[in-house]
Amino acid sequence: MCGIAGVFAPGRRLGVDALNAMLSSMTHRGPDDSGVQALAGAQLLFGHLRLSIIDLSPLGHQPMTLADRKVWIIYNGEVYNFREIRAELETHGWRFRSDSDTEVVLTAYCQWGLDAVDRFRGMFAFALWDEAKGELHLCRDRFGVKPLYYSIRNGTLAFASELKALNLAGHTDRGIDPISALEYLQYGYVSAPHSILADVKTVRPGTICSLDRSLRVREREYWSARELFDGHAAESLRQELRELPDEKLLDRVEGSLQKAFEYRMVADVPVGVFLSGGIDSSLVAALLARRSGLRLRTFTIGYGASEFDETRYARTVAESLGTEHVEYIVSHQAALDLVAEIPSIADEPIGDSSLIPTLMVSRLARQHVKVALSADGADELFGGYARYAYCGDFLDRSSLVKALYRLSANVIEQLPPALISTAYSISRAGGPKFAAINDKLRKFVRMTRAQEPFDAYQAAISEWSAEDASRLLMRSPTEGTGGRAAFDAVVGTGARDRFMHFDMTRYMPGDLLTKVDRASMFVSLEAREPFLDHEAARIAAALPLSWKMRQRQNKYVLRRLLQRHFPPSLFDRPKQGFSAPIGEWLRGPLREMFVQELAPARVREAGILDPAAVQQAVAEFLGSQNRSVSPAGAWILLQLQQWAGRWLRMAPARTTGKLADANDVSSVTIDSA
C-alpha cells in the first residue's frame, strides 16, 4: 500500500517543488521509501511513497521502469495473483529483477497493453506513462478499494491518492460542487466521478482514464458491477447455481471465498484480521484458520456496556479458532478525543461516524501487524442490510397492504422517541436488539410514503431527504445526484438486486472503502477487503435470492457456512459492526462543539450551508421531541462544517512550473526520453 502523486504540464518544464507539497501531505501512506522521477523532458513528474508489503528490498522502489525506460509506473495496492501472471509472462520471454507485483503490472502492460488489467485480481490505483505513445493512464481497481483523484486546471493535470494533496498544492480553487454537497447531505458520502470540490474528479472504479499531450481525457470502463447482475454470463451462472443441491452450492460458495481470502494473505509482513464478532469477519477468520490452517492475529474494539458493543462475540470466535486475539475497550473520552482529528484524516467529508472506531481498531492492529483484513462488501454481495428485506417486502405488497404500512407509520410518527426506545428495550429484554431503533423507524416511515421503488429505497438509506438537503444548502444544484440512474442501471432479478447494485457502486466506494482507506493509511496500515474479489463476487451476485434472505435472516448462505464452524445461536442477532453512539455524544459531551461549529456565523463563513436552516435542524435535534433529525443526520452536518473549517481556509503551498535548479533536484531523476 502506498501513496502516488503526479503533475503533467505539456509544453512546460516542471521542478521538484511541484510535487513536494503533494507528497509531504501523504507521508503516512508510505513511510518506508519515497521517490520522484521527472519524465517527458520534465513535463511530467511521478512521485511515490512506499509502504513495503511485498518484496521489501530496494528492488521494489518506485517510480519503476524496465530496461528500455520507455514505460514508467507508480502504483498503490496489491495484485494478489501476480505470481501466476509472472509465470505466464516468463513463458513469453520476460525476465524479472524483483519479486514485486509492481514489476509484474508494468511488464504485463508491455506485453498486453491496457488489456493486462483484465488479468489483475486485487486492489490498485496506478499511473502509467507510455513514452512511445505519449500517453498517461490512470487506472483504478474494479470496486474502488484504492482512491485516485485528479484535476485539470490551467493546462496542468495533477493526480494523487488523496484529495488533500491536490488541495494543499493549489490544484483546486476550492469551489464546492453543489451536486456533491447535496449527495453528501443525503447519504453522507460523495460518489465517483465527483468529489466535494467542483474542479477535482475521481477515477471511477473499474475505469482507466487515458490522457494525451493535449490533456484530453478518454475513459475506458474495463469492468462494471452491472456484469454481476445482467447479461448472458450472469444469467447462465444463476441457472447453474439454481440446479445445485444445497451442500454442493455451499461448497461452491465456500471454495470461491476461501480462495479469495487466501489471496489476501499474500505478503512479506505479518497480516491480521479485524474481528467484530459479526458474520462477515468471523467467516473470514474461520476459513483462514480452520480451512487454510493459518495462525491468525485478530483485533477488535468495543464500548463496554454500550448497545453498540460486540467484543464478547468477537472473543468467543477468537477463542474457538485459537487466534492471537487483542481487544481494546474504548473509553468515551478516548473516542471523543478523536473527533477533533477527523477533519485532518478525512480530507473529503465523511458522514459515517464509524470512522472513529475504524481508526481505533487500525491503530490497535498497527501495533502488531502491517496488513489487516477487513470484511467490507459482504453486505452488498450477500444481501446483508435489513433494508433489503423490509424495503423489498414493502414494494412486493399489494396497494391495500401498503396502505396499512402507511397507517402504522402514521401511528409510529406520533409516538415519543423515548417511549419507542423504552418499549423496544422491554420487548427485546435479554435478546439481541437493533442499535438506534428510532432512526430505523424514522426511515421506515418515510419509505412507506414513497410511490416508486427508487424513492422507497432512497428513503431507506437517506439521512436527509432530497428536499431537506436542498433546503440546508446555501446554493442548491439544478440537477440531481445521479442516484436514480445508478438504481436503474441494472435489471437483475428484481428490486433487491437493484438495491445491492446501488450500494455496491455508490455507498461502498463512496463511504465504506473511503473510510477504511483513510483510517488505515493514516496509521500506515494496509487494509485489505477479502470479500471484494471479482471472481468470488460473480458467484455471490448470482446466488438465488433465497440464499441471501430467508425467513427474515439476511446473508443466509454465509450463516449456513458459519454453521460448519460455530453454533448458529452465536450469530442470531442484528448487525452492529464498528458503530459509535453519536446520539449520546452530540447531546452530551460533544454538545458544546456541535452548537459552536454550527453557529450561524461559522456556517455563513464556510458558505456551504444555509445558517437559518441549520439552526432549525440543530434546535430540532437537541429538542425534547427530536423526531425529524437523526443522530446520523446531525453528525453529517457537523462533519461538513468541520471539514470546511479545516480545508477551505488555509493558503495553498506555492508551486511553480519552472525547472528547479541543480540544488533542488538532488532527490529527482530526470529522464531525457
Side-chain angles (χ1 to χ4, degrees), residues 279-280 378-379 382-389 434 545-560 571 573-575:
I279 293 171
D280 311 335
D379 289 307
F382 293 97
Y385 297 120
R387 60 180 179 259
Y388 295 158
F434 282 108
L545 189 62
S546 61
W547 280 96
K548 298 178 183 179
M549 290 165 266
R550 186 182 301 188
Q551 297 175 347
R552 294 290 177 178
Q553 284 192 323
N554 58 7
K555 290 184 285 198
Y556 179 74
V557 66
L558 300 188
R559 292 176 187 270
R560 286 285 300 272
F571 303 97
R573 66 186 191 278
K575 175 184 175 62

Side-chain angles (χ1 to χ4, degrees), residues 207-248:
T207 300
I208 302 170
C209 290
S210 299
L211 300 95
D212 55 22
R213 295 180 189 272
S214 68
L215 297 186
R216 181 173 60 95
V217 180
R218 292 177 287 111
E219 281 192 329
R220 169 185 170 182
E221 185 181 70
Y222 67 87
W223 186 87
S224 170
R226 292 189 304 272
E227 300 172 9
L228 301 177
F229 299 94
D230 290 342
H232 175 74
E235 181 53 39
S236 176
L237 184 54
R238 278 196 200 104
Q239 185 60 38
E240 180 184 344
L241 295 177
R242 285 191 201 107
E243 296 173 358
L244 290 177
D246 285 6
E247 290 304 315
K248 290 288 187 183

Side-chain angles (χ1 to χ4, degrees), residues 29 123 140-147 149 189 205 350 352 355 358 374-378 380 385 503-521 527-532:
R29 298 190 73 93
M123 57 178 190
R140 195 173 177 200
D141 66 71
R142 292 170 178 83
F143 290 102
V145 179
K146 293 291 95 191
Y149 295 85
Y189 59 84
I350 298 175
D352 189 339
L355 174 63
T358 303
S374 183
D376 294 304
E380 291 78 8
Y385 297 120
D503 285 347
M504 200 178 300
T505 55
R506 294 176 76 86
Y507 171 57
M508 190 171 72
D511 182 320
L512 299 180
L513 300 179
T514 300
K515 171 192 69 181
V516 173
D517 176 82
R518 294 303 190 278
S520 60
M521 292 308 300
R528 297 178 175 179
E529 310 291 351
F531 280 102
L532 296 183

Side-chain angles (χ1 to χ4, degrees), residues 22 25 40 46 156 160 177 200 217 248 257-258 344 420 423 446 456 463 492 525 572 601 654 656 660 666 671:
M22 298 173 74
S25 72
F46 269 8
T156 300
D177 181 354
V200 177
V217 180
K248 290 288 187 183
L257 290 177
Q258 185 175 344
S344 296
I420 292 175
R446 287 195 310 178
E463 296 304 334
L525 176 77
D572 186 19
R654 291 186 60 192
T656 176
S666 58
D671 195 82

Side-chain angles (χ1 to χ4, degrees), residues 157-168:
L157 163 78
F159 63 88
S161 296
E162 294 185 8
L163 182 61
K164 65 166 66 80
L166 301 179
N167 195 341
L168 291 173

